[in-house]
Amino acid sequence: DAGVIQSPRHEVTEMGQEVTLRCKPISGHNSLFWYRQTMMRGLELLIYFNNNVPIDDSGMPEDRFSAKMPNASFSTLKIQPSEPRDSAVYFCASSRTHGIYNEQFFGPGTRLTVL
Amino acid sequence: GENVEQHPSTLSVQEGDSAVIKCTYSDSASNYFPWYKQELGKGPQLIIDIRSNVGEKKDQRIAVTLNKTAKHFSLHITETQPEDSAVYFCAASGGANSKLTFGKGITLSVRP
C-alpha cells in the first residue's frame, strides 16, 4: 500500500494568496483527519471526516480555512486568504474506521510557508 | 476539553540506557492512550497504545504504563539505540469518536 499521499510536499506563497493542500487516504479507510503542526502549539486537529462527512471541525481556526472530501479517495484543505501565521506543517491522516481504538496513519505532511 | 502535557521537552540518553517519557492528561473520561514516533521529515507513526482497562503493555523494547488515578501514562524504551532518536508524542482519546488530543512532543536524542 502506498500509504497516505499528500501534495504538495512544500508550498511557499505570499500573504493573501489562496492555498490548497491535497490528500489521498489509504484505500479502504473511512476516516480522514487534517492536523496542523507548529513549534508553539504542537499537533492540532483541525477537522475530521467519517465516510466523507465532516464530524468535528471545531479545530478549524477561522473562516479562512475550509476542508472538503468529495469522495472516499480525496480531500482538500483550503486557506483563503493565507497569512504568515498559517505557516506550519499540515498533516493528513486516515484510519480504517470511526472509533477511538483505530490507528491513524499519517501522510508525510505539507510544509507551508506564507511570506 | 482534554489537555495533554508532556515533560520534559527534550531528553538525551546514552546508547544502551533506558528512556522514560511521561505524559499527563486532564479528562478522566479518556480511555485510549497511543504513542506516536515522528522521524525527521516524516509524519507521526503509532508505536504502541494502551487502553484504560490495562495498566501496562509491552512490545519488545518499548512499554507503556498507565495510572488512571493520577491521570498519567509513560513510555519506557529499554536498550536505546541511535535509531530511537525522534520526536515522541503521547495522545489521549475518549468517548465515541476518533478525536485524539496530542501532547506537544518530546525530542529524544540517543548518543552513540
Side-chain angles (χ1 to χ4, degrees):
Chain A
D1 198 320
V4 176
I5 299 172
Q6 291 187 248
S7 64
R9 292 294 310 276
H10 302 272
E11 177 78 31
V12 180
T13 191
E14 293 188 347
M15 181 173 62
Q17 295 298 306
E18 177 180 298
V19 175
T20 299
L21 311 181
R22 297 173 176 80
C23 175
K24 176 179 169 54
I26 293 173
S27 177
H29 282 193
N30 295 327
S31 293
L32 183 139
F33 309 81
W34 282 101
Y35 289 90
R36 177 172 67 177
Q37 185 176 33
T38 62
M39 288 294 294
M40 289 296 295
R41 301 175 68 90
L43 199 59
E44 302 173 278
L45 177 67
L46 301 177
I47 185 171
Y48 82 90
F49 296 83
N50 187 55
N51 291 327
N52 313 337
V53 176
I55 302 299
D56 185 341
D57 65 354
S58 60
M60 295 287 262
E62 47 199 274
D63 292 345
R64 297 185 297 107
F65 286 69
S66 62
K68 293 182 180 179
M69 192 165 186
N71 57 62
S73 59
F74 184 65
S75 177
T76 60
L77 178 68
K78 185 176 294 186
I79 308 172
Q80 166 63 17
S82 58
E83 297 181 3
R85 59 194 170 115
D86 301 331
S87 297
V89 180
Y90 291 82
F91 288 102
C92 176
S94 69
S95 67
R96 193 174 307 277
T97 62
H98 188 54
I100 68 170
Y101 300 132
N102 290 285
E103 177 179 358
Q104 293 186 20
F105 294 81
F106 283 76
T110 295
R111 181 173 294 278
L112 173 65
T113 302
V114 183
L115 304 175
Chain B
E2 177 64 274
N3 182 43
V4 177
E5 295 192 355
Q6 288 185 248
H7 297 282
S9 59
T10 61
L11 178 64
S12 180
V13 299
Q14 192 70 39
E15 182 178 359
D17 287 350
S18 295
V20 181
I21 303 170
K22 299 179 182 180
C23 282
T24 60
Y25 63 98
S26 62
D27 188 350
S28 57
S30 290
N31 54 12
Y32 174 61
F33 308 92
W35 285 88
Y36 282 77
K37 175 184 180 183
Q38 184 179 24
E39 297 177 342
L40 196 61
K42 297 183 179 180
Q45 181 177 14
L46 179 72
I47 55 172
I48 195 168
D49 57 13
I50 190 168
R51 304 184 186 187
S52 60
N53 59 347
V54 176
E56 182 177 0
K57 183 178 179 181
K58 290 183 179 180
D59 183 3
Q60 299 182 3
R61 295 189 297 110
I62 60 174
V64 57
T65 57
L66 172 65
N67 183 327
K68 287 214 72 179
T69 302
K71 289 191 283 189
H72 68 70
F73 55 113
S74 300
L75 178 70
H76 305 253
I77 306 174
T78 59
E79 301 173 17
T80 53
Q81 302 167 3
E83 52 264 39
D84 295 329
S85 296
V87 179
Y88 291 82
F89 292 94
C90 59
S93 179
N97 60 48
S98 306
K99 186 173 182 177
L100 287 174
T101 300
F102 284 86
K104 288 192 175 181
I106 176 173
T107 301
L108 174 65
S109 300
V110 179
R111 305 185 302 273

